[in-house]
Amino acid sequence: MSLSQIQFAPILPLEVIFGIGAAGVAACWLQFRLLQRRLSRQRALGISLLRFGSVFLILLIAANPFWTEKKEVKIRPSLAVLLDTSPSMGLAGESGKSTRLEDAKNLLFGGSTPLLRTLTDRYEVRFFELNESLRPLQAGEIAQIKSGSQKGDFNEAVETLGGKNQLILLFTDGNMKGEAQKSSRLPLLAFPLGNQEDYRDILIRRVKAPPIAFRGKEVVIDAVIQAYGYRGLTVPVILKSGEKLLATKSVRLQGSSGEGDVSLSFTPEEIGQYTLSLSIPPQVGESLTANNKRDFSLKVVRDKIRVLMVSGSPSMNYRFLRTALKNDPAIDLLSFVILRMPSNILNVPVQEQSLIPFPVDTLFTKELKNFDLLIFDNFLYHPFFRTQYLGNIRDFVKEGGAFAFVGGSNFQGEGGYAGTPLEEILPTRWLGKESYRRTTPVPVRPSRAGMNHPITRFSADEPAQRNLWREMPPLDGFNPLESKNNGTVLLEGAEGGFWPILTVGSYGKGRVFVLATDDSWKWYMGMVAKDKEPYTYLRLIERLIRWVTKDPGLETVQIALPEKGVAVSKEVEFRVRTGSDEPKGKQREAVSLAVFNPQGVKIAAQLKATGQPDQQQGAFVPGIAGAYKIRVESRQGVTEEVLLIPDPLQEFDGSPNHDRLRQIASSVGGKVIMKGDDALREIEDMAGKMEKRFVEEKTKPFWENPYFLALIVALLTSEWYLRRRWGLI
Amino acid sequence: MISRRRFLSLGMKTAVSLAFFQARGLWAAVPPHFFFAQIHYRGGEWDPNPLSVKPMVEELELRTSIKALTQRRVTTLTDPDFFFYPFLYMAGKYEFDPLTGEEQRILRRFLTYGGFLLAEDSMGAKGFGFDRAFRREMEKIFPNHPLRRLPPDHSVYQSFYLIDSIGGRQKVNPFLEGITVENWTPVIYTQNDLAGAWAKDNFGKWVNPCVPGGEAQRASAFKAGINIIVYSLTSDYKKDVIHHPFIQKRQNL
């Protein structure tokens, strides 16, 4: 402390202090003069000086002198040690003998003077694990951590660590999420792991495929192939559906990044949900082979419902059916009308005929599979057909095709279909030798099943539905039939009993319906005659076509799958819709749910109610990656959908990315510590810049000093003692 | 004892009844795919060729797969079964009484929603008689769709035979006229008297000569009749793509 450090903070105004001081000096002088009369001059002067000293010190207290003490303080820098535990950190490190994460641990713990110990001695060190999220670690936990299943996000980590730390030490291979960010000033020293130059792998980086394709229309699948360490190599890319090879193409891996683009195409022939795969055969020296394959799903639908209709002769039934089918833009109709029978006489040369040959051989052998629906409209087959072709029709339906018979006197009796393969697929059977019945007009009404079937339910209100059919004109003729066990009668004619007029059924994978009359066109003109809307007939035909061809729009139960965000071990939720036109208060449609894993094993799944009466929520947890079949069964039928749970390994790119790490580090004013660099010195240099210091100031008043008070007391005590000694008291 | 008069009277009644029920039974037992329903209108002469339907239907069944009834059905526009007739036929020579508003409405609704009408001017006088009356009524029923000559590529010229000229008892027009609404022609009209060429008496002789073309013109009238009937039952079937190469090839022969 020097005198210059002493300052005053008077507790009384200076004038008062000086006044008191002057009075004190005067009093001391007066005391000296009085004491001289009783004591010697020296003794009087001594007592007076003691008194003066006391007064001086008291005045000094009033002046309140103090001094300021200054002290410089240093703060230890706080370091965040960030260990990336992304999946790629589990791959081989630089030496190839240990993983990249183990290399990181060696950097921290290895050597005679472990880096970690030096750091904890000199700095405030906090530890974090960067995986799916940023997790604080205790120092003791570091040795046990393993690589995880998700990539870490560097940007998120910086955001969390910013403000609390001065420096980040990042141990990573650079294969993580995050970009260079100039906005952050949190410096970074990165320790790159893995060997970028020697890493060898081929992976399918991206697959661009439409989620829906149309049957018979070419589908193009675009893919980007990425190669590390195989630049210039030509590899085959194979497109498969299950084990079936669809297409293959070679791609040359070139360019600075070793990428190659490839487009493969194929034409789906069958509708359905498929799990396709693109793959590249494993190459010598590849670090990973699981990412040489990429699965994706493709739903093949029909662009139009292709209908082949064969009519036995020109008729009103044909014309109205044709009009109904032609008016539907979703239907592609090919029809053949038998304009003449072999017994008819055609007395003109060929150039005056418009008749074309009926290509039965082509149609019923090769081309049949290209149609969704075959309709026989009162068609008499035996003048044109061999029974073998009826067998082809049966097989067509068995494999998922649709068939309909609309008749007509050519359906039974003289039609001669009894005992043929066609009889097997129909949902009805003929009654003995009875042929087409044309007696009194037969009114038609919906059956109990027809009241609720999507084909014939035109109103949720049963009386309204019955009234609608009461309005319809009766039929002048019908085929007396009997429903088989697999048949569902939707419309019945009441004439001396109940006769199936419209019967639907299934055979194999396909569906069939029989409309046992060729007078249904009168349902249209009958309403025209009554000045009413005639569209019930058109809607009936439209619904029949859609139902029999399994058009999803007419399925009463529909499954809405999530479009993205599905993963192994993560609960998958989906919606099950069970029809929307149920009358209010009616019981919910009873549905059952079954989910099968990729191995075909049924797994646990739940179906829960939602707030909406026509919707339920299904859920299951996929244990493994692959295609899961979701099957919902209701009274109206079965609906199936396939959901692909992606395999994370297929999308996995394990390459070290030191270049990106360098970019990130330089963007925040940091650097990458390369092999051979003195890591500790770099840390010290960087941390030194970050070291924080400040000067601490302390104010100390004199009167707080006990010696000062003791001096006053000593002066007053000495005066008292001398006065007593010299007989003044 | 029953008197001879009473016996004959009962016999006659029984025969008439049987004939009536037989006719009814024929209708009821075999409702045909196709039959002529001829309009009996007021005024003019609604039935100039009463013997034309049977020969036409016989030719139709002989040459095509269509099953048809040889008996025509005579109807009025207010007939409750009117809307179920597959083929409406209207013929005449002279001007007929205007249709009532209700009759026009029924005919418009029938033709708009899928019905078909073949109309014939048996006299063949343009702008007179039946021709004038028919055009007048059609203008009222379809004010926005005038009667027009059907183009040579119309389906009616290709529905069964490939024809480029229309015959008949007379040859007023070598073409057909029609009212076309979108892709469907619900009204076809001719002044060639097709039915006059079809008509045969009970002894199998042609009732009318065909002038000036003779029997070739009659044959052409039958072809036109068959094409019109097939068109009424198949619409524009021959416009389907599958027919194009065949028809084109034959037309080039």
Side-chain angles (χ1 to χ4, degrees):
Chain A
M1 182 184 71
S2 64
L3 286 175
S4 62
Q5 288 178 286
I6 297 174
Q7 291 172 291
F8 293 91
I11 57 173
L12 295 171
L14 283 176
E15 296 80 12
V16 175
I17 293 172
F18 282 122
I20 294 170
V25 170
C28 287
W29 176 253
L30 184 60
Q31 186 187 34
F32 172 69
R33 297 287 295 176
L34 290 172
L35 287 176
Q36 264 190 334
R37 293 176 191 169
R38 297 173 64 181
L39 297 174
S40 65
R41 181 180 172 83
Q42 287 78 12
R43 286 185 179 182
L45 184 62
I47 288 172
S48 297
L49 284 174
L50 285 172
R51 174 63 59 90
F52 179 75
S54 299
V55 170
F56 177 76
L57 288 176
I58 288 165
L59 285 173
L60 203 60
I61 287 171
N64 191 21
F66 66 91
W67 77 92
T68 304
E69 192 179 75
K70 290 187 178 177
K71 188 177 171 187
E72 191 181 57
V73 179
K74 290 182 186 176
I75 299 175
R76 292 205 306 173
S78 172
L79 303 187
V81 175
L82 202 54
L83 278 162
D84 180 12
T85 55
S86 299
S88 60
M89 291 292 283
L91 297 177
E94 188 166 7
S95 64
K97 293 174 184 170
S98 53
T99 67
R100 296 168 194 173
L101 186 59
E102 285 165 350
D103 287 353
K105 291 175 189 174
N106 284 336
L107 278 173
L108 285 168
F109 297 107
S112 55
T113 314
L115 178 65
L116 187 65
R117 190 188 302 165
T118 311
L119 293 177
T120 47
D121 287 346
R122 298 183 189 177
Y123 307 104
E124 289 293 329
V125 183
R126 300 189 185 101
F127 302 97
F128 297 91
E129 177 187 8
L130 180 58
N131 192 252
E132 192 174 3
S133 59
L134 188 70
R135 187 174 77 90
L137 288 175
Q138 297 300 316
E141 287 181 86
I142 295 174
Q144 278 78 44
I145 58 168
K146 291 177 180 172
S147 58
S149 58
Q150 299 283 322
K151 274 189 180 184
D153 190 325
F154 173 71
N155 293 141
E156 268 184 29
V158 168
E159 202 171 303
T160 309
L161 297 173
K164 300 168 195 162
N165 301 278
Q166 279 78 53
L167 179 64
I168 295 177
L169 303 183
L170 176 63
F171 294 81
T172 180
D173 57 3
N175 193 336
M176 57 185 180
K177 290 191 265 184
E179 300 299 328
Q181 42 171 266
K182 293 213 162 79
S183 59
S184 170
R185 298 314 303 167
L186 183 58
L188 167 76
L189 282 178
F191 292 79
L193 301 163
N195 191 327
Q196 186 173 304
E197 279 69 38
D198 292 345
Y199 184 75
R200 288 164 71 82
D201 187 26
I202 295 177
L203 71 146
I204 298 170
R205 167 77 67 196
R206 273 190 304 278
V207 175
K208 189 178 167 193
I212 293 175
F214 296 106
R215 187 188 57 182
K217 297 274 172 73
E218 190 180 63
V219 186
V220 178
I221 315 288
D222 295 317
V224 177
I225 312 300
Q226 174 85 58
Y228 299 103
Y230 293 98
R231 192 174 300 167
L233 187 72
T234 300
V235 292
V237 182
I238 300 158
L239 176 65
K240 280 183 171 181
S241 172
E243 290 304 312
K244 184 183 173 187
L245 180 68
L246 299 176
T248 182
K249 211 171 201 178
S250 293
V251 59
R252 188 175 169 79
L253 305 168
Q254 52 194 1
S256 58
S257 55
E259 278 190 357
D261 296 342
V262 62
S263 288
L264 294 103
S265 61
F266 76 104
T267 304
E269 292 173 353
E270 301 289 335
I271 58 171
Q273 184 94 36
Y274 296 93
T275 300
L276 306 184
S277 68
L278 269 185
S279 62
I280 298 163
Q283 303 299 309
V284 177
E286 266 199 89
S287 300
L288 277 173
T289 54
N291 57 7
N292 287 33
K293 186 183 174 198
R294 185 72 84 90
D295 293 330
F296 58 98
S297 61
L298 182 73
K299 190 170 192 175
V300 179
V301 297
R302 59 172 74 90
D303 56 342
K304 285 193 169 188
I305 302 171
R306 280 180 284 178
V307 180
L308 171 63
M309 180 160 71
V310 183
S311 287
S313 72
S315 67
M316 292 295 275
N317 199 50
Y318 168 76
R319 180 153 72 80
F320 276 78
L321 263 179
R322 177 186 171 83
T323 304
L325 299 176
K326 282 277 182 184
N327 280 348
D328 190 335
I331 291 175
D332 193 1
L333 173 69
L334 175 63
S335 67
F336 288 92
V337 183
I338 305 299
L339 295 180
R340 63 177 286 267
M341 300 296 282
S343 56
N344 290 127
I345 296 167
L346 196 65
N347 52 350
V348 292
V350 70
Q351 62 266 32
E352 292 180 25
Q353 301 171 17
S354 75
L355 309 184
I356 65 168
F358 181 26
V360 280
D361 291 329
T362 310
L363 280 177
F364 294 99
T365 53
K366 298 173 190 164
E367 294 294 327
L368 192 56
K369 64 178 174 20
N370 293 325
F371 293 94
D372 301 300
L373 167 63
L374 170 64
I375 301 175
F376 276 4
D377 164 34
N378 200 30
F379 174 58
L380 190 68
Y381 84 93
H382 46 74
F384 307 97
F385 254 42
R386 283 179 287 164
T387 311
Q388 175 202 340
Y389 294 155
L390 297 179
N392 292 351
I393 294 170
R394 177 193 56 201
D395 297 342
F396 163 72
V397 177
K398 196 173 185 178
E399 292 304 313
F403 177 75
F405 204 109
V406 182
S409 57
N410 290 335
F411 184 35
Q412 64 187 78
E414 61 180 296
Y417 287 102
T420 67
L422 212 57
E423 185 178 17
E424 191 181 330
I425 67 172
L426 296 177
T428 54
R429 65 172 68 89
W430 293 279
L431 295 175
K433 291 181 178 176
E434 193 172 4
S435 58
Y436 198 66
R437 187 178 289 189
R438 299 174 191 273
T439 49
T440 52
V442 182
V444 171
R445 67 178 197 181
S447 66
R448 173 52 50 195
M451 283 289 187
N452 292 307
H453 199 280
I455 295 173
T456 42
R457 184 170 55 188
F458 289 100
S459 166
D461 183 32
E462 284 196 13
Q465 184 140 276
R466 288 195 188 284
N467 285 337
L468 173 75
W469 284 97
R470 271 191 208 114
E471 294 276 358
M472 295 289 189
L475 299 173
D476 289 330
F478 68 96
N479 285 287
L481 303 170
E482 186 178 62
S483 172
K484 288 184 190 169
N485 285 340
N486 65 339
T488 304
V489 179
L490 302 182
L491 295 176
E492 57 192 14
E495 194 263 325
F498 296 107
W499 302 100
I501 299 298
L502 175 61
T503 311
V504 298
S506 299
Y507 180 79
K509 295 178 188 171
R511 287 178 176 174
V512 184
F513 76 80
V514 170
L515 183 57
T517 179
D518 55 358
D519 265 348
S520 59
W521 65 274
K522 290 184 178 172
W523 291 335
Y524 182 89
M525 287 307 276
M527 299 304 264
V528 174
K530 290 184 178 181
D531 280 340
K532 295 192 172 170
E533 291 294 344
Y535 303 116
T536 302
Y537 169 79
L538 297 178
R539 288 173 67 195
L540 179 72
I541 298 298
E542 182 202 334
R543 289 178 180 192
L544 273 169
I545 302 303
R546 276 168 172 66
W547 180 86
V548 82
T549 55
K550 296 183 184 173
D551 191 273
L554 206 68
E555 295 295 345
T556 51
V557 180
Q558 294 178 352
I559 303 170
L561 296 175
E563 287 181 4
K564 53 186 179 180
V566 292
V568 173
S569 305
K570 187 178 169 188
E571 188 178 63
V572 174
E573 290 184 346
F574 55 92
R575 293 261 164 172
V576 176
R577 190 177 169 278
T578 54
S580 59
D581 49 355
E582 288 292 337
K584 281 181 183 174
K586 193 166 180 180
Q587 268 197 326
R588 188 188 296 274
E589 174 87 52
V591 294
S592 64
L593 169 69
V595 178
F596 300 89
N597 73 7
Q599 279 112 33
V601 179
K602 189 175 175 181
I603 62 169
Q606 304 85 42
L607 206 56
K608 293 178 279 186
T610 64
Q612 293 167 291
D614 62 335
Q615 284 193 9
Q616 296 182 64
Q617 182 172 291
F620 70 95
V621 180
I624 54 172
Y628 284 72
K629 189 193 284 181
I630 301 167
R631 181 185 167 94
V632 176
E633 199 166 342
S634 78
R635 199 159 42 91
Q636 308 288 359
V638 177
T639 301
E640 284 185 359
E641 288 285 349
V642 175
L643 179 68
L644 183 70
I645 306 295
D647 183 351
L649 276 179
Q650 290 189 352
E651 300 170 16
F652 184 47
D653 179 358
S655 68
N657 196 340
H658 298 175
D659 297 334
R660 196 156 69 93
L661 196 57
R662 216 167 273 120
Q663 283 176 0
I664 291 173
S666 65
S667 72
V668 293
K671 65 182 290 190
V672 173
I673 307 293
M674 299 307 293
K675 196 176 179 184
D677 289 351
D678 186 344
L680 194 59
R681 191 174 163 186
E682 295 286 354
I683 293 168
E684 281 176 348
D685 284 352
M686 190 73 80
K689 292 176 193 168
M690 302 296 135
E691 194 175 74
K692 286 189 177 172
R693 298 164 185 234
F694 66 91
V695 176
E696 188 180 56
E697 286 187 355
K698 272 187 181 173
T699 303
K700 293 196 171 180
F702 274 67
W703 57 266
E704 276 188 355
N705 193 327
Y707 296 112
F708 189 79
L709 291 173
L711 182 61
I712 295 172
V713 171
L715 288 172
L716 291 172
T717 307
S718 299
E719 185 188 346
W720 177 79
Y721 173 76
L722 290 176
R723 281 178 181 268
R724 189 176 178 95
R725 174 88 182 261
W726 293 334
L728 293 177
I729 301 172
Chain B
M1 281 291 289
I2 188 166
S3 68
R4 187 180 168 197
R5 178 171 291 181
R6 174 110 175 116
F7 176 79
L8 289 173
S9 167
L10 278 173
M12 288 293 284
K13 283 178 183 171
T14 307
V16 168
S17 301
L18 280 174
F20 176 76
F21 282 114
Q22 195 178 3
R24 292 266 313 182
L26 190 63
W27 274 94
V30 191
H33 278 128
F34 180 82
F35 58 90
F36 278 74
Q38 188 165 351
I39 298 177
H40 185 172
Y41 51 81
R42 293 179 304 278
E45 185 185 338
W46 69 273
D47 192 15
N49 295 300
L51 299 175
S52 61
V53 169
K54 190 179 173 198
M56 180 65 239
V57 168
E58 283 172 353
E59 287 298 318
L60 184 72
E61 289 200 323
L62 187 69
R63 302 183 194 188
T64 76
S65 59
I66 300 169
K67 297 278 191 292
L69 197 70
T70 52
Q71 291 172 297
R72 64 179 175 175
R73 183 151 187 178
V74 178
T75 183
T76 62
L77 293 174
T78 51
D79 181 346
D81 287 341
F82 181 78
F83 280 83
F84 301 122
Y85 297 150
F87 192 90
L88 205 58
Y89 177 66
M90 184 177 185
K93 285 184 177 176
Y94 311 116
E95 187 160 353
F96 56 87
D97 295 348
L99 301 179
T100 65
E102 179 63 7
E103 286 170 334
Q104 285 173 12
R105 190 191 67 80
I106 290 171
L107 194 53
R108 183 184 303 114
R109 194 165 171 80
F110 172 76
L111 295 172
T112 304
Y113 284 95
F116 180 83
L117 169 67
L118 170 64
E120 281 209 282
D121 172 18
S122 299
M123 189 165 73
K126 290 185 177 179
F128 293 95
F130 182 88
D131 183 57
R132 187 164 73 178
F134 182 73
R135 289 181 190 278
R136 177 194 70 214
E137 294 305 322
M138 285 300 111
E139 207 173 318
K140 288 179 192 166
I141 292 169
F142 290 108
N144 300 319
H145 298 88
L147 264 173
R148 284 203 175 118
R149 174 180 176 167
L150 298 178
D153 63 343
H154 192 278
S155 294
V156 75
Y157 299 122
Q158 302 170 343
S159 59
F160 193 83
Y161 295 107
L162 295 175
I163 52 178
D164 52 10
S165 178
I166 303 297
R169 184 185 58 76
Q170 59 207 8
K171 194 140 187 180
V172 177
N173 291 320
F175 53 82
L176 296 169
E177 289 179 86
I179 292 174
T180 302
V181 181
E182 293 177 3
N183 297 322
W184 169 236
T185 304
V187 179
I188 289 181
Y189 177 59
T190 174
Q191 292 185 273
N192 287 9
D193 193 17
L194 297 175
W198 303 337
K200 256 184 191 175
D201 65 18
N202 292 331
F203 300 103
K205 287 186 177 176
W206 302 116
V207 172
N208 302 306
C210 294
V211 289
E215 291 312 301
Q217 194 170 302
R218 193 187 306 280
S220 176
F222 273 103
K223 284 184 190 171
I226 287 171
N227 268 33
I228 292 167
I229 291 167
V230 173
Y231 174 74
S232 77
L233 298 174
T234 59
S235 180
D236 57 349
Y237 163 60
K238 284 292 170 181
K239 289 287 176 205
D240 285 358
V241 178
I242 195 162
H243 298 277
H244 285 183
F246 292 94
I247 290 174
Q248 209 163 22
K249 193 176 170 186
R250 286 171 191 177
Q251 282 175 333
N252 292 335
L253 281 175

PDB file of all heavy atoms in Angstrom, chain B residues 26-37:
ATOM      1  N   LEU B  26     -98.494 -65.397 -77.502  1.00  0.00           N
ATOM      2  CA  LEU B  26     -97.267 -65.263 -78.267  1.00  0.00           C
ATOM      3  C   LEU B  26     -96.410 -64.116 -77.707  1.00  0.00           C
ATOM      4  O   LEU B  26     -95.218 -64.231 -77.528  1.00  0.00           O
ATOM      5  CB  LEU B  26     -97.616 -65.000 -79.735  1.00  0.00           C
ATOM      6  CG  LEU B  26     -96.468 -65.056 -80.730  1.00  0.00           C
ATOM      7  CD1 LEU B  26     -95.861 -66.448 -80.769  1.00  0.00           C
ATOM      8  CD2 LEU B  26     -96.955 -64.663 -82.115  1.00  0.00           C
ATOM      9  N   TRP B  27     -97.076 -63.015 -77.415  1.00  0.00           N
ATOM     10  CA  TRP B  27     -96.369 -61.869 -76.831  1.00  0.00           C
ATOM     11  C   TRP B  27     -95.790 -62.239 -75.458  1.00  0.00           C
ATOM     12  O   TRP B  27     -94.663 -61.910 -75.155  1.00  0.00           O
ATOM     13  CB  TRP B  27     -97.327 -60.689 -76.632  1.00  0.00           C
ATOM     14  CG  TRP B  27     -97.437 -59.850 -77.863  1.00  0.00           C
ATOM     15  CD1 TRP B  27     -98.345 -59.939 -78.849  1.00  0.00           C
ATOM     16  CD2 TRP B  27     -96.551 -58.796 -78.220  1.00  0.00           C
ATOM     17  NE1 TRP B  27     -98.110 -59.016 -79.817  1.00  0.00           N
ATOM     18  CE2 TRP B  27     -97.002 -58.289 -79.450  1.00  0.00           C
ATOM     19  CE3 TRP B  27     -95.429 -58.238 -77.635  1.00  0.00           C
ATOM     20  CZ2 TRP B  27     -96.387 -57.249 -80.097  1.00  0.00           C
ATOM     21  CZ3 TRP B  27     -94.820 -57.193 -78.275  1.00  0.00           C
ATOM     22  CH2 TRP B  27     -95.282 -56.704 -79.490  1.00  0.00           C
ATOM     23  N   ALA B  28     -96.695 -62.948 -74.694  1.00  0.00           N
ATOM     24  CA  ALA B  28     -96.266 -63.219 -73.313  1.00  0.00           C
ATOM     25  C   ALA B  28     -95.206 -64.305 -73.250  1.00  0.00           C
ATOM     26  O   ALA B  28     -94.289 -64.239 -72.464  1.00  0.00           O
ATOM     27  CB  ALA B  28     -97.476 -63.629 -72.474  1.00  0.00           C
ATOM     28  N   ALA B  29     -95.345 -65.304 -74.146  1.00  0.00           N
ATOM     29  CA  ALA B  29     -94.439 -66.435 -74.031  1.00  0.00           C
ATOM     30  C   ALA B  29     -93.053 -66.102 -74.575  1.00  0.00           C
ATOM     31  O   ALA B  29     -92.055 -66.515 -74.024  1.00  0.00           O
ATOM     32  CB  ALA B  29     -95.009 -67.634 -74.787  1.00  0.00           C
ATOM     33  N   VAL B  30     -92.987 -65.375 -75.672  1.00  0.00           N
ATOM     34  CA  VAL B  30     -91.691 -65.085 -76.264  1.00  0.00           C
ATOM     35  C   VAL B  30     -91.552 -63.580 -76.513  1.00  0.00           C
ATOM     36  O   VAL B  30     -91.669 -63.119 -77.629  1.00  0.00           O
ATOM     37  CB  VAL B  30     -91.512 -65.854 -77.600  1.00  0.00           C
ATOM     38  CG1 VAL B  30     -90.076 -65.763 -78.069  1.00  0.00           C
ATOM     39  CG2 VAL B  30     -91.963 -67.277 -77.478  1.00  0.00           C
ATOM     40  N   PRO B  31     -91.369 -62.807 -75.489  1.00  0.00           N
ATOM     41  CA  PRO B  31     -91.123 -61.382 -75.742  1.00  0.00           C
ATOM     42  C   PRO B  31     -89.841 -61.258 -76.561  1.00  0.00           C
ATOM     43  O   PRO B  31     -88.796 -61.750 -76.142  1.00  0.00           O
ATOM     44  CB  PRO B  31     -90.947 -60.774 -74.351  1.00  0.00           C
ATOM     45  CG  PRO B  31     -91.465 -61.786 -73.410  1.00  0.00           C
ATOM     46  CD  PRO B  31     -91.274 -63.110 -74.075  1.00  0.00           C
ATOM     47  N   PRO B  32     -89.917 -60.755 -77.744  1.00  0.00           N
ATOM     48  CA  PRO B  32     -88.746 -60.769 -78.624  1.00  0.00           C
ATOM     49  C   PRO B  32     -87.738 -59.699 -78.242  1.00  0.00           C
ATOM     50  O   PRO B  32     -88.057 -58.737 -77.561  1.00  0.00           O
ATOM     51  CB  PRO B  32     -89.357 -60.470 -79.982  1.00  0.00           C
ATOM     52  CG  PRO B  32     -90.555 -59.638 -79.647  1.00  0.00           C
ATOM     53  CD  PRO B  32     -91.061 -60.068 -78.322  1.00  0.00           C
ATOM     54  N   HIS B  33     -86.508 -59.913 -78.707  1.00  0.00           N
ATOM     55  CA  HIS B  33     -85.513 -58.869 -78.551  1.00  0.00           C
ATOM     56  C   HIS B  33     -85.912 -57.641 -79.340  1.00  0.00           C
ATOM     57  O   HIS B  33     -85.648 -56.528 -78.941  1.00  0.00           O
ATOM     58  CB  HIS B  33     -84.154 -59.345 -79.062  1.00  0.00           C
ATOM     59  CG  HIS B  33     -83.422 -60.166 -78.073  1.00  0.00           C
ATOM     60  ND1 HIS B  33     -82.918 -61.396 -78.371  1.00  0.00           N
ATOM     61  CD2 HIS B  33     -83.099 -59.926 -76.790  1.00  0.00           C
ATOM     62  CE1 HIS B  33     -82.311 -61.879 -77.317  1.00  0.00           C
ATOM     63  NE2 HIS B  33     -82.415 -61.009 -76.338  1.00  0.00           N
ATOM     64  N   PHE B  34     -86.525 -57.946 -80.488  1.00  0.00           N
ATOM     65  CA  PHE B  34     -86.755 -56.842 -81.410  1.00  0.00           C
ATOM     66  C   PHE B  34     -88.142 -56.956 -82.056  1.00  0.00           C
ATOM     67  O   PHE B  34     -88.570 -58.033 -82.451  1.00  0.00           O
ATOM     68  CB  PHE B  34     -85.690 -56.870 -82.515  1.00  0.00           C
ATOM     69  CG  PHE B  34     -85.870 -55.777 -83.501  1.00  0.00           C
ATOM     70  CD1 PHE B  34     -85.390 -54.508 -83.235  1.00  0.00           C
ATOM     71  CD2 PHE B  34     -86.558 -55.989 -84.685  1.00  0.00           C
ATOM     72  CE1 PHE B  34     -85.595 -53.485 -84.142  1.00  0.00           C
ATOM     73  CE2 PHE B  34     -86.760 -54.967 -85.585  1.00  0.00           C
ATOM     74  CZ  PHE B  34     -86.275 -53.709 -85.306  1.00  0.00           C
ATOM     75  N   PHE B  35     -88.801 -55.846 -82.122  1.00  0.00           N
ATOM     76  CA  PHE B  35     -90.057 -55.782 -82.894  1.00  0.00           C
ATOM     77  C   PHE B  35     -90.292 -54.338 -83.312  1.00  0.00           C
ATOM     78  O   PHE B  35     -89.735 -53.410 -82.718  1.00  0.00           O
ATOM     79  CB  PHE B  35     -91.240 -56.328 -82.092  1.00  0.00           C
ATOM     80  CG  PHE B  35     -91.475 -55.624 -80.786  1.00  0.00           C
ATOM     81  CD1 PHE B  35     -92.311 -54.516 -80.715  1.00  0.00           C
ATOM     82  CD2 PHE B  35     -90.881 -56.068 -79.608  1.00  0.00           C
ATOM     83  CE1 PHE B  35     -92.533 -53.873 -79.503  1.00  0.00           C
ATOM     84  CE2 PHE B  35     -91.091 -55.432 -78.409  1.00  0.00           C
ATOM     85  CZ  PHE B  35     -91.921 -54.324 -78.344  1.00  0.00           C
ATOM     86  N   PHE B  36     -91.061 -54.197 -84.347  1.00  0.00           N
ATOM     87  CA  PHE B  36     -91.435 -52.855 -84.816  1.00  0.00           C
ATOM     88  C   PHE B  36     -92.592 -52.356 -83.953  1.00  0.00           C
ATOM     89  O   PHE B  36     -93.555 -53.086 -83.731  1.00  0.00           O
ATOM     90  CB  PHE B  36     -91.912 -52.894 -86.269  1.00  0.00           C
ATOM     91  CG  PHE B  36     -90.809 -52.880 -87.286  1.00  0.00           C
ATOM     92  CD1 PHE B  36     -90.023 -53.995 -87.513  1.00  0.00           C
ATOM     93  CD2 PHE B  36     -90.568 -51.747 -88.037  1.00  0.00           C
ATOM     94  CE1 PHE B  36     -89.013 -53.975 -88.466  1.00  0.00           C
ATOM     95  CE2 PHE B  36     -89.562 -51.710 -88.987  1.00  0.00           C
ATOM     96  CZ  PHE B  36     -88.776 -52.837 -89.203  1.00  0.00           C
ATOM     97  N   ALA B  37     -92.522 -51.132 -83.505  1.00  0.00           N
ATOM     98  CA  ALA B  37     -93.662 -50.485 -82.850  1.00  0.00           C
ATOM     99  C   ALA B  37     -93.997 -49.259 -83.712  1.00  0.00           C
ATOM    100  O   ALA B  37     -93.214 -48.313 -83.786  1.00  0.00           O
ATOM    101  CB  ALA B  37     -93.300 -50.071 -81.435  1.00  0.00           C
TER     102      ALA B  37
END
